[in-house]
């Protein structure tokens, strides 16, 4: 379906909505939900037990349920953070009152992830991480969508690449599950699939390779403003992702945006002001050694001191500004939410800035008691300017390779160039992305009979990127890295269309047994267009268009991918306590090989809310749900991986012709992730303590690998094949405690922990002994090896060395490997065996994995007198190795302390430094860290203060981020990494680290 056809469908649906008649109201029940202090609670889910429908309470805690045919119904009121309450009420009652108490765990809130539509958590047999983000944003002022996830969903690793304004993170769920395909989870916004690219941005090239490392650092996830998000749900594996089919084995992130609620119109204004800085930059960036050009003596260069003496600051304090308005309200039949947010952020370098304008309009209409519709429209536009210099890393690289002997030269000791050259338009140039993005979705729900409900979601997400790198021709005498001028422009337009339909038929087999049959179909289309133009050599200063360049090259291309999936699900519910669910989905995808047809993904799960059984007699366990599940999901091949293709060339006679490019693979199938998980959710001591525990065991079969081809085939390079098998297993634990709950003080603590054990079980005979190509030729090599985690580090392990009187490492011996014969595919031993050999005869050995094996977080939330809230979170990761790019750069250019004072270090380290990168273990260091990620103080002013300005509510928040890091890592930031043409590299290099930040926010509601 083309975007034009989809827009026509949406228009027809809109016309249909306006034409629907408003019918007379049927019998109903209504009432109010309050807390223990009789204060109204908004956003409470109120359902009729045994019915698929539900309503949410408004700002006054009021609700109304219509279309009831019984004489009495059982209502259940539930909300995240509160203990659910059930009442039997007569139909027609208008004074129903629910009183909810705080709870550390709830089983009755509604989730949408991994199910055919909305469903109560008690019936979902898989682990679902649900975060009520609206409250989090209000009290902690998280700056982006990725920050809402980090540290709050066990098993979900969020790794920020850089601290530049506008940059985004790498997200990995439950370890590495693929060799050659992407590892990012799918992202849905209000039921519509959206672009989840994490490597967007200018791809800078040129200047003799100095800039060639760079790639995109912008994440499309952060296009969605946190102020518009009501909650986020994350499913973490194939067992829960079966109904999402192909592409879902990496997990799914569901973003649910705010909706209007019945009641008086509320108008909100938010103003944010703050600052960010490179904390302890002078101490975190090591100083270089060399000979002073005047005295010839060895000295330690501190560029921060020398620049301050000249009146220069290498890094400035950045700034954060944000201005937002929102409007919400409505009546019973129509509700609305509207917002507009303008954000402006300046990084610690003058070339790094961000401005973004985002709007969202959500309308919910309820023209009939058996029908409702939601329209969700989001638009974002803006520009992100990224710092340049050696791969968009900013001035850190110039500091790492500072040359003490050049302190009196034009570069003042900086490597490559001084800051003002990188920051000038003609010298350093500009690297930026202009963005326009529209996300539109319509959801229709119809309940024509008590035994039938069906739902249709239709929408599209359109992303228009303009990525540019420009270096203009400089003025005469002005230094520049590209004296003739250069420009690279790439336009990327991505259109994603979603059509999702499902219908459910609940049948009461008896008074206690309900069977619900659900059928559904999904169609997804992703269409990507690329236009690339490069120009070099501008005739005069001030010209920056490729049409004026002396040499110009360009190309355009498009990629289309389509998925069609059908599923059927059957759920049996007994006494609203025991649920058994079985489902199967069939998918076809345009990237599959021609000899491969449909792929089938099964699912079965079960839950038992055992504490509600009559025999239960454990008074201090008041909620206990046991659950288990098995399921499968997939990961499609690359779009053209199955296709045999040719590329155009010029023949000897000057005519256009074709030559073999990729051999393709007609039988190429998707990767298949199969997973089973067991767990429980428990509420202890009147639900003051909540435990959510999961053990998972997943296997990826038919894992896609790139294998080398024999030249005799006539097709050069590599071929995608289904060959490997990867196993992942681990434990996820969330422990939440409402330690103190009173009118004056409440204290809530949350601990998240997750482990991951990843192992390659099989490589299908494909020789991976040559390893992966590293981003640099002189860093530790990463291999896929059976018996170890994917992308593990294998290098020679130095076991002994001595220093001679001249400081030269001698008698260097390396581990000779595992005497039991475990080897690489090329016969190289793998593991340490205790014996030694000369290093030039020693094998590469396993040094460590590149992904964390343990991650967690601890957060504490305290409320005093119901007005003052204090929140803090520390998160950590360990069990992996990261390449110390700072040490690599400094020693590689000959400026590190180890070169001039070898006697100060372990001879084993010096042996590596002096090996000319033949030994690189000294670069790969432990990447464990703990970070004070968030600290905030929020205060709600008394109502009389707010009324003086005509407002209902007035609050102020001071929030800090990344205020301290505990780590033994010797580089700048253990979280840092960069993207190159091979994807996200496992080592840090020259990136701006995560910046410390303090932001003041004032929010007013009228």
């Amino acid at each position: 379906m083309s975007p034009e056809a989809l827009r026509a469908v949406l228009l027809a649906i809109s016309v249909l909505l306006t034409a629907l008649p408003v019918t007379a109201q049927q019998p109903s029940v209504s009432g109010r939900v309050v807390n223990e202090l009789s204060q109204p609670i908004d956003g409470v889910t109120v359902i009729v037990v045994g019915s698929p429908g539900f309503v949410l309470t408004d700002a006054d805690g009021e609700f109304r349920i219509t279309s009831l045919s019984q004489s009495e119904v059982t209502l259940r009121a539930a909300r995240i953070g509160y203990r659910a309450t059930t009442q039997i009420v007569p139909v027609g009652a208008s004074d129903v009152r629910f009183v909810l108490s705080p709870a550390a765990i709830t089983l009755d809130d509604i989730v949408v992830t991994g199910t055919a539509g909305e469903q109560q958590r008690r019936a979902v047999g898989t682990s679902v991480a649900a975060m009520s983000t609206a409250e989090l944003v209000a009290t902690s002022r998280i700056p982006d969508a990725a920050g809402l996830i980090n540290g709050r969903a066990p098993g979900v690793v969020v790794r920020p690449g850089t601290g530049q304004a506008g940059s985004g993170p790498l997200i990995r769920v439950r370890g590495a599950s693929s060799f050659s395909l992407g590892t990012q989870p799918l992202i849905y916004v209000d039921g519509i699939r959206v672009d989840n690219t994490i490597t967007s941005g200018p791809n800078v090239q040129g200047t003799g390779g100095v800039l060639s490392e760079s790639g995109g650092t912008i994440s499309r996830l952060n296009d969605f403003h946190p102020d518009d998000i009501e909650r986020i749900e994350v499913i973490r594996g194939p067992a829960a992702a079966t109904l999402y089919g192909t592409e879902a084995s990496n997990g799914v992130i569901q973003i649910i945006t705010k909706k209007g609620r019945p009641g008086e119109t509320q108008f909100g204004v938010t103003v944010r002001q703050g600052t960010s800085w490179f904390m302890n930059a002078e101490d975190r960036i090591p100083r270089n050694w060399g000979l002073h050009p005047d005295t010839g003596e060895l000295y330690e260069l501190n560029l921060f001191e020398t620049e301050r003496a000249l009146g220069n600051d290498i890094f400035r304090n950045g700034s954060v500004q944000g201005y937002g308005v929102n409007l919400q309200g409505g009546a019973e039949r129509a509700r609305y939410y509207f917002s507009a947010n303008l954000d402006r952020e300046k990084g610690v370098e003058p070339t790094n800035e961000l401005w973004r304008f985002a709007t969202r309009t959500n309308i919910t209409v309820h023209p009939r008691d058996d029908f409702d519709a939601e329209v969700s429209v989001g638009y974002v536009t803006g520009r992100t300017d990224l710092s340049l210099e050696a791969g968009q890393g900013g001035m850190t690289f110039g500091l790492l390779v500072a040359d003490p002997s050049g302190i009196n030269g034009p570069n003042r000791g900086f490597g490559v160039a001084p800051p003002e050259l990188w920051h000038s338009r003609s010298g350093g140039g500009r690297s930026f992305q202009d963005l326009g993005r529209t996300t539109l979705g319509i959801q229709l729900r119809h309940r024509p009979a008590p035994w039938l409900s069906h739902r249709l979601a239709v929408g599209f997400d359109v992303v228009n990127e303009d990525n540019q790198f420009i270096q203009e021709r400089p003025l005469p005498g002005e230094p520049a890295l590209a004296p003739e001028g250069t420009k690279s422009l790439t336009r990327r337009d991505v259109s994603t269309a979603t059509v999702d339909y499902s219908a459910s038929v609940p049948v009461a087999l008896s008074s206690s047994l309900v069977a619900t049959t659900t059928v559904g179909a999904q169609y997804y289309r992703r269409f990507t267009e690329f236009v690339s133009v490069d120009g070099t050599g501008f005739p005069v200063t001030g010209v920056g268009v490729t049409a004026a360049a002396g040499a110009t090259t360009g190309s355009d291309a498009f990629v289309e991918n389509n998925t069609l999936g059908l599923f059927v699900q059957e759920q049996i519910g007994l006494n609203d306590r025991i649920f058994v669910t079985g489902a199967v989905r069939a998918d076809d995808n345009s990237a599959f090989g021609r000899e491969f047809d449909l792929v089938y993904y099964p699912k079965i799960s079960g839950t038992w809310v055992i504490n509600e059984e009559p025999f239960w007699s454990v008074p201090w366990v008041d909620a206990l749900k046991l659950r288990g599940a098995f399921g499968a999901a997939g990961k499609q091949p690359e779009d053209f991986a199955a296709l045999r293709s040719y590329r155009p060339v010029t023949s000897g006679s000057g005519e256009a012709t074709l030559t073999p490019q990729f051999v393709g693979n007609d039988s190429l199938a998707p990767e298949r992730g199969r997973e089973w998980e067991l767990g429980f959710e428990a509420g202890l001591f009147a639900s003051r303590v909540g435990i959510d525990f999961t053990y998972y065991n997943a296997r990826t079969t038919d894992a896609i690998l790139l294998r080398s081809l024999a030249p005799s085939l006539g097709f050069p390079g590599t071929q995608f094949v289904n060959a490997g098998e990867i196993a992942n297993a681990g434990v996820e634990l969330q422990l939440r405690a409402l330690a103190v709950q009173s009118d004056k003080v409440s204290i809530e603590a949350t601990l998240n922990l997750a482990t991951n054990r990843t192992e390659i079980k099989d490589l299908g005979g494909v020789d991976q002994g040559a390893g992966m190509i590293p981003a640099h030729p002189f860093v530790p090599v990463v291999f896929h090896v059976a018996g170890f985690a994917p992308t593990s580090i294998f290098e020679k392990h130095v076991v002994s060395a001595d220093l001679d009187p001249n400081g030269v490492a001698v008698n260097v011996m390396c581990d000779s490997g595992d005497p039991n014969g475990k080897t690489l595919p090329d016969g190289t031993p793998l593991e340490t065996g205790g014996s030694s050999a000369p290093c030039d005869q020693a094998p590469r050995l396993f040094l460590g994995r590149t992904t964390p094996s343990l991650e967690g977080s601890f957060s504490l939330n305290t409320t005093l007198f119901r007005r003052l809230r204090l929140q803090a979170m520390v998160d950590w990761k360990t069990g992996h190795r990261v390449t110390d790019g700072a040490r690599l750069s400094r020693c590689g250019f000959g400026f590190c302390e180890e070169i001039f004072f070898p006697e100060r270090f372990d001879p084993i380290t010096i042996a590596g430094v002096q090996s000319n990168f033949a030994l690189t273990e000294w670069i790969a260091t432990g990447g464990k860290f703990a970070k004070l990620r968030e600290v905030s103080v929020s205060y709600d002013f008394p109502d009389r203060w707010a009324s003086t300005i005509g407002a209902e509510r007035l609050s102020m928040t001071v929030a800090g981020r990344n205020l301290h890091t505990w780590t033994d890592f010797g580089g700048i930031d253990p979280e840092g990494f960069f993207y190159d043409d091979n994807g996200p590299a496992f080592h840090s290099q020259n990136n701006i680290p995560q910046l410390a930040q303090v932001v003041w926010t004032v929010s007013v509601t009228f």
Side-chain angles (χ1 to χ4, degrees), residues 837-853:
C839 288
D840 59 352
Q841 304 172 20
R844 289 190 173 102
L845 307 176
F846 174 73
L847 297 186
R849 53 187 284 171
T850 56
T851 56
S853 60

Side-chain angles (χ1 to χ4, degrees), residues 881-953:
R881 288 205 178 204
V882 178
T883 296
D884 184 348
R887 197 178 200 187
L888 180 151
S889 299
R890 295 168 57 247
C891 293
F893 280 82
F895 302 130
C896 67
E897 185 179 5
E898 292 88 332
I899 291 177
F900 296 97
F901 301 98
E903 68 278 3
R904 299 179 181 177
F905 300 88
D906 188 329
I908 290 178
T909 300
I910 298 304
V913 173
Q914 296 178 353
S915 69
N916 194 28
F917 296 103
L919 305 173
T920 58
E921 182 184 11
W922 60 282
I923 303 171
T925 62
K928 66 179 180 181
F929 72 91
K931 183 162 291 191
L932 181 57
R933 187 72 65 180
E934 300 167 9
V935 176
S936 67
V937 179
S938 180
Y939 183 71
D940 291 334
F941 290 93
D943 293 344
R944 65 179 184 276
W945 290 35
S947 63
T948 60
I949 59 173
E952 290 185 358
R953 183 183 176 189

Side-chain angles (χ1 to χ4, degrees), residues 340-361:
N341 290 278
L342 175 63
D343 294 290
R344 181 71 182 268
E345 185 174 348
K346 296 183 179 181
V348 294
E349 294 193 86
T351 50
N352 178 211
E353 295 188 7
L354 161 73
W355 75 265
R356 181 183 294 141
F357 177 72
T359 67
R360 175 158 293 278
T361 301

Side-chain angles (χ1 to χ4, degrees), residues 481-692:
L481 298 174
E484 302 302 318
T486 183
K487 179 175 181 177
S488 174
L489 181 149
T490 301
R491 288 180 178 162
R492 174 179 173 267
D493 296 329
V494 184
S495 176
T496 305
T498 302
V499 180
D500 185 345
Y501 173 81
S502 66
S504 295
V505 178
V507 177
L509 303 178
S510 69
S511 60
S512 59
L513 190 64
V514 177
T516 303
T517 303
T518 304
V519 297
Q522 289 95 26
Y523 170 76
Y524 305 112
R525 177 184 185 267
R526 179 183 174 93
F527 186 82
T528 307
E529 294 181 280
F530 302 93
V531 176
S532 178
V533 180
D534 294 282
T536 57
F538 294 123
V540 293
T541 300
V543 175
V545 295
T546 54
T552 303
T553 59
S555 65
D556 71 302
F558 71 89
V559 178
E560 182 177 359
N561 183 268
N562 297 275
T563 299
L564 177 63
L566 305 172
F567 76 85
V568 59
Q569 174 178 286
E570 185 69 30
Q571 181 175 92
I572 305 295
L574 177 62
N575 294 319
D576 203 38
R577 297 193 292 266
I578 299 176
F579 299 88
V580 178
T581 304
V584 64
R585 175 176 170 128
D587 264 11
D588 196 8
N589 185 274
S590 58
F592 296 167
R594 285 181 295 180
E595 297 178 6
F596 185 83
D597 198 2
L598 296 177
V599 59
Y600 296 92
Y601 302 112
K603 165 187 175 180
I604 186 168
S605 67
T607 70
W608 185 12
V609 185
I610 190 172
N611 68 285
E612 295 181 1
E613 295 291 350
F615 61 76
W616 187 258
S617 60
V618 183
W620 51 275
V621 180
D622 52 280
L624 178 60
K625 183 185 89 171
L626 308 179
R627 51 178 167 78
F630 169 82
K635 179 65 179 176
Q636 71 181 45
E638 296 286 349
D639 290 310
F640 293 128
L643 265 177
R644 176 165 295 187
S645 59
Y646 300 83
R647 61 185 176 89
V649 296
T650 303
S651 66
S653 62
E655 297 181 353
T657 186
L658 297 174
T659 189
Q661 185 179 32
F662 298 115
V663 67
N665 183 349
D666 282 344
S667 61
L668 194 64
E671 296 183 340
R672 291 175 60 89
R674 295 180 176 90
E675 178 184 62
W676 60 269
E677 65 173 57
L678 298 172
F680 67 88
E681 295 158 46
L684 314 178
F685 310 111
S687 291
R688 298 299 184 183
V689 176
I691 303 174
D692 189 336

